[in-house]
Amino acid sequence: MPLVRPQQLKSMRLVPYTNTFSWQCFHFDKQSNNIVFENLTNLSLESRHYGIRVPDDTPILLENELNISFPNLRHLSLICVNITPDIIQLFAASPLTTVVFEGLLENALHLQVLNLNRLSMLKVSTWFGCTISDEKFCTESNALFQSVECAVVVFSVDIDDMAINATDVYWPCLTHLELCSEYIEDLALDLVPRVPNLVYLRVRAFKAGKDETEQSAQEYFECLRQKYSQPSQSNITNVVLSFANGRPKSFDDLATDLFVHYLPKLRNIKLDNAV
């Protein structure tokens, strides 16, 4: 198989099967051992198992004798790959503007090797559950989202089986938050004061409203209205709420009234079925 010349590439999607992948599939200078992707501006590293995105426990290996660089890389996507500090270090000197990460939160912490403040967008998605404790989740997510200063910071997280105390999290850098679970306590309104720069909130509660009657829905939202009776100082302008199919007819109206009251800067709210 002929070697790929890295200087010819402008965009690359790489699915590096860890048992067979080697960076030596790219042409490199035999004297300096340099592999320079000098024209590459868009790179996606992905892990797939039978075509399905799943987290990979095996890290991408680096051959010690090779010097790999991406001097003009702008957009980096890391999808379910097991990234190590050594892999992330490859991009530390790249002029990145957007980074998209999908995988386990504990791996996302390696992104701190990069200069995240120069980005225009950072998106972190953890849709595969969390292998760390609730306390460690709060500590590590706080560490990741307290010092980033780029314009758009997105956190999409599956919080099933997690008990998050709102007072234990503080994500001042987030602008977009997406939460997914069967049920979400207080429809995430308890988290709003802990994310002061949020402008977009999506709540996907798959079983919210499923077992409610019209009366119990009224009682549920009455409790929330009392708990969140004072409008917040939130900057949220857009909300998407996804609830169980077959919920009471009044459920959406009650949820809309609650969010409109509590989020004074809200401009758009959308409700649909969680799928």
Side-chain angles (χ1 to χ4, degrees):
M1 180 177 177
L3 298 179
V4 178
R5 294 188 175 275
Q7 66 271 22
Q8 296 178 340
L9 301 174
K10 294 183 179 180
S11 180
M12 179 168 65
R13 175 175 168 267
L14 192 60
V15 185
Y17 292 101
T18 50
N19 291 332
T20 58
F21 175 74
S22 170
W23 290 98
Q24 295 190 33
C25 68
F26 298 100
H27 186 275
F28 61 94
D29 185 289
K30 296 297 193 296
Q31 293 183 338
S32 64
N33 285 340
N34 289 341
I35 301 179
V36 183
F37 294 86
E38 57 189 74
N39 295 309
L40 194 72
T41 60
N42 193 328
L43 172 63
S44 180
L45 296 178
E46 300 182 16
S47 172
R48 290 179 178 270
H49 183 70
Y50 295 104
I52 301 173
R53 291 179 178 177
V54 291
D56 191 347
D57 293 333
T58 308
I60 301 171
L61 298 179
L62 291 174
E63 286 90 347
N64 293 330
E65 69 275 10
L66 297 178
N67 304 308
I68 306 168
S69 61
F70 302 84
N72 292 297
L73 190 65
R74 299 290 194 275
H75 310 288
L76 173 64
S77 296
L78 302 165
I79 310 299
C80 302
V81 292
N82 186 355
I83 57 174
T84 62
D86 288 341
I87 288 292
I88 289 296
Q89 194 64 45
L90 294 178
F91 313 108
S94 302
L96 294 169
T97 59
T98 64
V99 172
V100 175
F101 171 89
E102 186 174 323
L104 301 177
L105 178 62
E106 47 268 46
N107 281 343
L109 294 177
H110 296 317
L111 297 175
Q112 294 171 310
V113 172
L114 305 175
N115 181 3
L116 299 178
N117 288 338
R118 68 187 173 194
L119 301 178
S120 60
M121 187 193 77
L122 169 66
K123 181 175 182 180
V124 175
S125 299
T126 59
W127 293 112
F128 304 99
C130 203
T131 60
I132 56 180
S133 66
D134 297 351
E135 181 181 357
K136 196 171 184 181
F137 168 84
C138 295
T139 301
E140 295 187 348
S141 61
N142 287 348
L144 186 59
F145 297 120
Q146 282 191 9
S147 58
V148 183
E149 298 179 359
C150 53
V152 177
V153 183
V154 184
F155 188 27
S156 300
V157 57
D158 184 343
I159 58 172
D160 266 353
D161 301 322
M162 296 179 62
I164 301 177
N165 189 333
T167 59
D168 292 334
V169 301
Y170 186 55
W171 301 324
C173 300
L174 286 188
T175 60
H176 294 62
L177 176 62
E178 302 176 2
L179 299 173
C180 175
S181 185
E182 290 186 350
Y183 299 97
I184 296 177
E185 184 174 355
D186 291 2
L187 302 181
L189 291 181
D190 58 330
L191 292 174
V192 168
R194 313 300 295 170
V195 198
N197 291 304
L198 205 66
V199 296
Y200 174 92
L201 174 65
R202 180 168 189 183
V203 175
R204 298 171 62 195
F206 295 106
K207 292 188 177 180
K210 179 181 179 182
D211 298 320
E212 300 283 358
T213 63
E214 292 291 346
Q215 181 177 347
S216 65
Q218 290 280 352
E219 294 171 352
Y220 171 69
F221 280 102
E222 179 59 31
C223 289
L224 291 181
R225 278 196 297 270
Q226 293 181 15
K227 188 173 182 179
Y228 300 98
S229 59
Q230 297 299 317
S232 70
Q233 297 181 350
S234 172
N235 294 310
I236 294 176
T237 58
N238 290 274
V239 167
V240 178
L241 304 174
S242 301
F243 300 135
N245 192 15
R247 58 192 178 275
K249 293 181 179 180
S250 63
F251 202 87
D252 289 6
D253 290 337
L254 293 168
T256 299
D257 291 344
L258 174 67
F259 275 78
V260 168
H261 171 74
Y262 189 64
L263 304 176
K265 295 185 179 180
L266 188 62
R267 297 292 177 268
N268 300 291
I269 184 168
K270 177 184 176 182
L271 294 95
D272 58 21
N273 295 329
V275 292

